[in-house]
Amino acid sequence: ESILSRIRSFEYSEKNAVLVTVATLGVGGMLVYWLRSRHKIKTIEMGDGWWGSGKRPLKVKEDESIRPFKIETSDKEIEDLHKRLEQARYTPPLEGAAFHYGFNSDYLRKVVAYWRNQFDWRKQVNVLNKYPHFQTTIEGIDIHFIHVKPSYVPHGRAVQPLLMVHGWPGSFYEFYKIIPLLTEPARHGMDEGDVVFEVICPSIPGYGFSEAPHQKGFDSLATARIFHKLMNRLGFKEYYLQGGDWGSRITTNMAQMLPQSVKGLHLNLVFNGKLGLRRMISVMLGAYLPWLVGLSKEDVRRMYPFVQKNIYDILRESGYLHIQATKPDTAGCGLNDSPVGLAAYILEKFSTWTDKSFLHKDDGGLESKYSLDELLTNVMIYWVTSSIVSSMRFYKENLSKYPALTADARVGVYVPTGIAAFPQEIAYTPRTWAKEIFKNIVTFSYMPCGGHFAAFEQPKLLAQDIMHFVRKVEKL
C-alpha cells in the first residue's frame, strides 16, 4: 500500500507539473501575442473589386497590358462646342457682387468670348500629348495615366518613382508645370542634389480619360487599391506618393493599405475631422495659451479667429459638397449639357480656393494666377469626356457613410510623411492635430504663399518641398 500510495503521489505531482507547464506556456504565449499586437501596425485590408458593366466574368483573365493612349479631337467636337457657347444665356450680376454670389456673369461673358474666338483646343491637345499617355484595365475599367521618365540620369543616381494624384475639380493636367521640375531639376534651375523622379499621374476613375465605374460604391479605398495595382503592374515594389484634395485621401489610404510599398507620403492637404472634448479644449486654449496645447505662433495666425476661418469660411465654400454628396446626378445634368455652366461651376473653385480674397474681385482674380488657356484646358478635359457627373459621384460614394465607421477611420499612417501647409488652403490642420493620424511626420512646412491647387499655382515651391522631404526620408 505504501508503494502504491507513493506511485499515485508521483503520478499526481507529475500531472500537476504538466498542468503548470501548460498553463505557464499558455499565459506566456498570450503575453507575447499581446506585446506583439501592441506594436503591430494596423492596415486596411486590400480586398478586391469589380467596377465594369454587369457581373464580373468568370474564368476570364483581365487584360493587364499597358496600352499607349493619345488624346484626339475632331471638327465635329469643336463645332458642337462653339454652337453651345454661342447660344448661352446669362443672368446679369447684382451691382458690386464680384464673386460673392458665385461666378460673376459679366466676367463669364469675357471668358466665353475668349473660349469661342481665341482658345485653340487643337493646340492644347498637342500640349496635353507632350507627355506619354497610357491606359490599362484594372478591375473592369480602363485607367488612364501619364508616365514621365527623366531624359538623363547621372551615373549612380537612383530614380525615385512618384505617384501624384489630383482631386476635384482638377485633373492630371494640374501637374504639367511641376513634372519637368521633378524629372529634370537641373535644367529648370532646381537644386537637384541627389533626388530625381519618374512621375506617374493617373486620372481618378470617373475623371477625364479614366473610365467611370459602372457599379455603386466606388470610393477612395477602391481607388487606392487600383492605384497600388497600377504601380505594381508598372513594375514598382516601392514608391513615393503625393496628393492634395481627393488625392490626399487616396494616397493616405494607399499608405494605410500597403505601408510596405510606400517609401513616403507627401501631402498638401490633410483631412482630420476628429471631434471631441480634447479637440474643443485645444481650440479654446489655443487662442490664449497655444504652447500649452502644442500650437505655434504660425498655427495661431492661420487658425484664428476660429469660427470665421474654420466654420463660416468652410460653410461658404462647401455648398457644392453637400449637393455632390447627396444628389450628384441632378446637378450634373445641366453641367454635362452646358459648357458655359460647366466652366462657371469649375472655375469658381479656381478663384476662391486659390485665394480667399479673390471673392472681392470682379474677375475672381483668376488671371492673376493662371492663364485662360490653362483654366479652359482643365474644363475641356471634363467637357470632352462627359465626366463631370461621374466625378461628382465620388463625393456621394465617400461621404454617404458616417466617417467614424469607415475602414480607414481607426487606422494610423506610419510611413514617413511630409506635409506642405499652404496659407490659402481651405482648411488648416496644425502639426499637433495631424500627428493624431500621421505618426511619422518627417517634414511639416509652412509654405509662404499659395492655395488649394498647389502644383498648378506654385509648382516650384511644391517641387522644392517634395525634394526636401524625400532627401530626409532617404537619409533615415
Side-chain angles (χ1 to χ4, degrees), residues 96-378:
F99 264 55
H100 285 273
Y101 285 72
F103 204 104
N104 186 290
S105 57
D106 281 347
Y107 179 61
L108 183 60
R109 286 176 181 270
K110 296 178 182 178
V111 172
V112 172
Y114 180 88
W115 197 359
R116 170 63 183 86
N117 301 312
Q118 294 172 261
F119 179 76
D120 187 343
W121 176 230
R122 292 188 185 279
K123 177 185 173 183
Q124 294 308 112
V125 165
N126 289 334
V127 170
L128 290 173
N129 282 326
K130 75 176 182 177
Y131 293 132
H133 291 249
F134 303 90
Q135 280 189 337
T136 188
T137 306
I138 303 177
E139 298 188 6
I141 52 177
D142 290 337
I143 306 301
H144 161 262
F145 63 98
I146 57 175
H147 186 181
V148 187
K149 300 179 182 180
S151 59
Y152 169 73
V153 180
H155 179 70
R157 182 164 300 165
V159 178
Q160 303 294 344
L162 175 64
L163 180 81
M164 303 188 78
V165 185
H166 66 88
W168 186 93
S171 64
F172 66 93
Y173 178 59
E174 282 181 71
F175 301 115
Y176 268 50
K177 288 184 278 189
I178 198 174
I179 285 172
L181 306 183
L182 296 170
T183 57
E184 299 176 317
R187 289 183 60 183
H188 295 86
M190 302 284 289
D191 177 19
E192 62 172 332
D194 52 356
V195 176
V196 64
F197 298 92
E198 61 178 296
V199 178
I200 301 92
C201 299
S203 295
I204 298 170
Y207 288 67
F209 299 99
S210 275
E211 185 178 353
H214 298 265
Q215 312 293 331
K216 293 188 293 183
F218 187 87
D219 57 12
S220 62
L221 296 176
T223 314
R225 181 179 63 243
I226 281 178
F227 287 173
H228 270 308
K229 289 182 177 182
L230 171 63
M231 294 301 278
N232 183 258
R233 193 168 292 183
L234 291 172
F236 299 116
K237 293 182 179 179
E238 290 184 313
Y239 32 89
Y240 284 94
L241 306 174
Q242 202 288 324
D245 197 87
W246 280 125
S248 171
R249 180 160 174 174
I250 292 164
T251 53
T252 296
N253 289 162
M254 291 177 74
Q256 293 169 312
M257 191 174 285
L258 289 179
Q260 67 273 24
S261 295
V262 179
K263 295 184 75 175
L265 170 68
H266 186 278
L267 306 173
N268 55 278
L269 174 64
V270 171
F271 288 99
N272 187 354
K274 287 187 177 181
L275 300 173
L277 183 61
R278 184 178 174 184
R279 179 61 55 82
M280 289 174 64
I281 292 171
S282 179
V283 169
M284 289 187 290
L285 291 178
Y288 307 100
L289 300 168
W291 54 270
L292 194 62
V293 289
L295 299 179
S296 69
K297 288 182 179 179
E298 183 62 20
D299 292 330
V300 172
R301 192 179 72 80
R302 296 189 181 201
M303 288 173 61
Y304 296 92
F306 190 83
V307 172
Q308 173 69 38
K309 291 186 176 181
N310 297 274
I311 298 177
Y312 178 74
D313 285 357
I314 290 175
L315 282 174
R316 186 192 65 216
E317 293 298 330
S318 60
Y320 79 99
L321 184 148
H322 301 285
I323 292 170
Q324 294 174 194
T326 52
K327 304 289 181 66
D329 286 30
T330 304
C333 288
L335 302 178
N336 195 49
D337 192 57
S338 166
V340 176
L342 181 68
Y345 197 73
I346 287 177
L347 297 186
E348 181 237 303
K349 306 307 178 192
F350 280 86
S351 168
T352 48
W353 291 5
T354 294
D355 191 316
K356 299 177 184 74
S357 70
F358 287 174
L359 199 69
H360 310 297
K361 295 179 179 289
D362 290 339
D363 63 356
L366 282 167
E367 291 178 76
S368 66
K369 294 288 186 176
Y370 317 102
S371 71
L372 285 180
D373 281 347
E374 290 172 342
L375 293 168
L376 290 171
T377 296
N378 183 69

